[in-house]
Each structure stands twice: as C-alpha cells, then as structure tokens.
C-alpha cells in the first residue's frame, strides 16, 4: 500500500546467518503526502520529515536476532531549521543532525555543545578503536565525549582538521 510508511523486521537464523522471515508493518501517525528523507544521499538518509515533525530511522537487534527498524519522532526538533550533518564511526554508528536549538545523535540531544559551530570532522581507525571526531568552538569530541588533555581540560579545536585527525585532534 503506497499510502502508508512501513517499518521492517528481519529475523536472522544465527547458525546459518540467513533471513528466516521478513515482516512489514505500517507506521501510524505519519503524513505520507509530505513524508520525505532529509537527504538525497542514501548514506545520510536516516532522518525524515513530514508536516508533523522530524523522525529518525532507528535500528536495533534483539537477543533473538531480530533486526528491527522503526521511525521515531524527535520530540522538540525544530522542523524548519533541522539539517543533517552526517554519519561517522563504525557502520555510521553516530548520526548527527542539528536545528537552531540542539545537536542530535539519532534521537538524543548532544548536551553541552555549541550548536552554531558544531561540525563533523571525520572518523579514523586505530587498532581495535574507531574514533568519530566532532568539534565546536570550545572542544573536540570523540563521539559524544569531550576529548580532554592531561589536566582534564578540553583540547583546543582550532587545529583539528580532517587532513590529520589523529594528531591534530589530540588522539595521539
């Protein structure tokens, strides 16, 4: 039915790593006439909007192996100023967006950041770690955690660039 938006579930057979079944169920409360992704880039299209608000495409995997997608409304998001910043980390584990009031990682507000200057710098791997580097005018962040120096102070973000993430952003 093209007049509905659907969520999906895939139950995986852990032993054979294959889909056992695929299930679609309609999502209620969405306006299908105005529903659209906020980015034409499939890699960034985890955020959607309709006339009623802004939504995040949330994935979860249960202990039974069920992979479930849901569209969850971001309560309080300002639809008129909401914009996608980008994804980073292992398989896009962190999904950033912002409006004039807040920076969001998925459904969650990232506390304590300067919205006007917040930006995604990039990500890099080192050993078993994957670092997602963001910054604002005051600090550098690894994911949503402040990057601190030996004295417990924020590392100055002025030299933190995409060109040399590890060394210029305080991770070496």
């Amino acid at each position: 039915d093209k007049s509905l938006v659907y969520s999906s579930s895939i139950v995986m057979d852990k032993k054979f790593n294959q889909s056992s079944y695929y299930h679609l169920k309609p999502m209620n409360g969405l306006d299908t006439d105005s529903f659209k992704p906020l980015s034409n880039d499939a890699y960034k299209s985890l955020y959607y909007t309709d006339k009623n608000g802004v939504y995040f495409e949330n994935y979860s995997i249960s202990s039974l192996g069920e992979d479930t997608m849901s569209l969850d409304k971001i309560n309080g998001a300002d639809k008129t100023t909401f914009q996608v910043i980008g994804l980073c980390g292992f398989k896009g584990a962190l999904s950033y967006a912002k409006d004039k009031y807040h920076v969001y990682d998925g459904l969650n507000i990232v506390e304590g950041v300067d919205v006007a200057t917040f930006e995604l710098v990039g990500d890099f791997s080192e050993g078993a770690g994957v670092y997602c580097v963001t910054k604002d005018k005051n600090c550098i962040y690894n994911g949503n955690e402040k990057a601190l120096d030996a004295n417990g102070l924020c590392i100055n973000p002025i030299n933190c660039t995409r060109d040399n993430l590890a060394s210029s952003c305080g991770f070496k």
Side-chain angles (χ1 to χ4, degrees):
D1 182 351
K2 292 183 181 180
S3 67
L4 294 172
V5 176
Y6 292 89
S7 71
S8 64
S9 296
I10 301 172
V11 175
M12 302 295 287
D13 181 326
K14 290 182 180 180
K15 182 176 179 182
F16 298 105
N17 200 25
Q18 297 175 351
S19 296
S20 296
Y21 69 85
Y22 187 76
H23 172 71
L24 292 174
K25 66 180 180 182
M27 303 289 294
N28 295 322
L30 296 172
D31 179 69
T32 57
D33 291 332
S34 63
F35 184 79
K36 64 180 182 180
L38 283 173
S39 174
N40 291 329
D41 181 345
Y43 186 63
K44 293 181 182 177
S45 63
L46 295 176
Y47 293 95
Y48 299 83
T49 187
D50 72 2
K51 71 178 187 176
N52 301 313
V54 180
Y55 305 86
F56 178 69
E57 186 175 338
N58 208 0
Y59 286 93
S60 63
I61 300 174
S62 75
S63 60
L64 300 174
E66 184 172 288
D67 181 4
T68 303
M69 184 279 288
S70 63
L71 283 173
D72 298 311
K73 188 171 186 177
I74 302 174
N75 295 319
D78 181 60
K79 188 176 102 98
T80 58
T81 62
F82 199 92
Q83 59 185 331
V84 176
I85 297 170
L87 299 146
C88 74
F90 181 69
K91 295 186 178 182
L94 298 170
S95 309
Y96 291 106
K98 69 180 179 177
D99 63 18
K100 67 181 177 182
Y101 303 110
H102 302 289
V103 171
Y104 301 89
D105 170 19
L107 295 169
N108 305 309
I109 293 173
V110 181
E111 299 290 342
V113 299
D114 181 71
V115 174
T117 61
F118 184 85
E119 64 180 285
L120 172 62
V121 181
D123 54 9
F124 69 95
S125 299
E126 183 175 89
V130 177
Y131 299 90
C132 177
V133 182
T134 57
K135 70 178 184 175
D136 65 13
K137 69 179 183 179
N138 301 310
C139 202
I140 297 168
Y141 303 87
N142 173 24
N144 297 329
E145 300 293 322
K146 289 180 178 180
L148 304 175
D149 64 17
N151 297 318
L153 301 173
C154 278
I155 295 172
N156 189 335
I158 195 142
N159 295 321
C160 181
T161 65
R162 181 176 295 278
D163 297 332
N164 197 352
L165 285 172
S167 62
S168 67
C169 300
F171 292 100
K172 282 198 175 195

